[in-house]
Amino acid sequence: AHLRAGVRVAAVHAKVLESEAGGQIQARSVTGSNGGAVIGVGPVISRDNRDNNFETRSGGLYEALMGWHSNQIGSDFNFVDAELDLRQFIPVWSDHTLALQTFVRCTWGDPPFQLQASMGGKYNMRGYFEGRYRDRHLVTAQAEYRVPLFWRFGGVGFIGAGQVGPSLTTLDLANPKIAGGGGIRFNINRHDRINLRFDAAANLEGELNLYVHLGEAF
């Protein structure tokens, strides 16, 4: 196992190129609607004992980080953010793997909307369009079962549940958003176990999203 600790420095410049007529962003009523610089610094600590970083079959990754963003270091926004990413990979049998992840993101202060916790996309809560649900706090959990099929092909089935909210105490975890689906994997590098993935995922609201990406979701 590798235990690492360090300092993370982040610098982003955001600019809104297009907004919906009559919406909050066009009305400049949302923090970040005018764009601006986001500069932050903070600690990061992780423990990593995965057998492979690309297609993990055993071990886990446990990482926590925090960022302080302030006018004092050149940021146009004053806020604190934190993330917790916990991943566990359990060998089942004959190269079958159960992959589990819990992810939490929190923001305090006055973050721009672009850096609030965002649900959905190709990595987390597949089945939801990335950023459709966005707020100060996010909690998600996902599980994926991975099986070898034939030659360089593999298959997966996955399900995720999560929720966003203005505070951790008001998160409606009893009624989470739920999405799930399945996919095909094609191994393009047997030595490093790098896969090209094709996923189809739907949510309980009836939306279907397709994903093509290099590497696993987590």
Side-chain angles (χ1 to χ4, degrees):
H2 299 283
L3 181 65
R4 300 184 179 93
V7 175
R8 181 187 66 140
V9 177
V12 177
H13 190 277
K15 185 177 182 180
V16 177
L17 299 178
E18 186 177 347
S19 60
E20 182 179 345
Q24 291 179 300
I25 295 176
Q26 189 180 71
R28 301 294 190 259
S29 61
V30 176
T31 301
S33 56
N34 289 316
V38 181
I39 299 175
V41 61
V44 56
I45 184 169
S46 68
R47 181 177 182 269
D48 188 353
N49 63 357
R50 293 173 294 174
D51 69 317
N52 181 283
N53 290 352
F54 300 109
E55 186 211 359
T56 311
R57 297 177 183 172
S58 65
L61 172 67
Y62 324 98
E63 185 172 75
L65 60 86
M66 181 171 286
W68 171 68
H69 309 75
S70 171
N71 300 143
Q72 299 176 30
I73 56 174
S75 178
D76 291 328
F77 306 92
N78 295 287
F79 69 99
V80 173
D81 62 359
E83 290 184 4
L84 180 66
D85 188 353
L86 305 176
R87 310 180 189 187
Q88 188 66 46
F89 302 88
I90 304 169
V92 181
W93 64 279
S94 185
D95 290 335
H96 289 219
T97 304
L98 176 62
L100 305 169
Q101 182 191 35
T102 297
F103 181 78
V104 180
R105 176 168 169 79
C106 301
T107 58
W108 299 272
D110 198 21
F113 76 91
Q114 298 97 327
L115 293 184
Q116 287 187 346
S118 175
M119 177 186 291
K122 57 184 175 286
Y123 298 115
N124 200 302
M125 290 297 290
R126 285 163 285 176
Y128 281 99
F129 182 77
E130 185 173 6
R132 178 183 174 186
Y133 292 102
R134 186 188 301 266
D135 214 318
R136 291 177 176 269
H137 302 274
L138 164 75
V139 176
T140 66
Q142 62 178 332
E144 183 170 286
Y145 194 81
R146 305 169 179 171
V147 300
L149 294 177
F150 62 92
W151 191 46
R152 296 187 178 214
F153 287 95
V156 306
F158 54 86
I159 188 169
Q163 191 60 277
V164 296
S167 70
L168 287 173
T169 56
T170 59
L171 276 175
D172 188 10
L173 296 179
N175 297 286
K177 309 293 184 186
I178 297 176
I184 297 295
R185 302 292 181 266
F186 179 74
N187 181 265
I188 61 173
N189 184 320
R190 286 179 170 173
H191 181 266
D192 294 320
R193 301 206 312 244
I194 299 174
N195 292 332
L196 183 63
R197 64 180 168 102
F198 306 86
D199 287 337
N203 59 52
L204 294 184
E205 296 163 43
E207 297 172 328
L208 174 68
N209 286 281
L210 304 177
Y211 306 89
V212 179
H213 200 260
L214 186 65
E216 298 298 335
F218 65 99

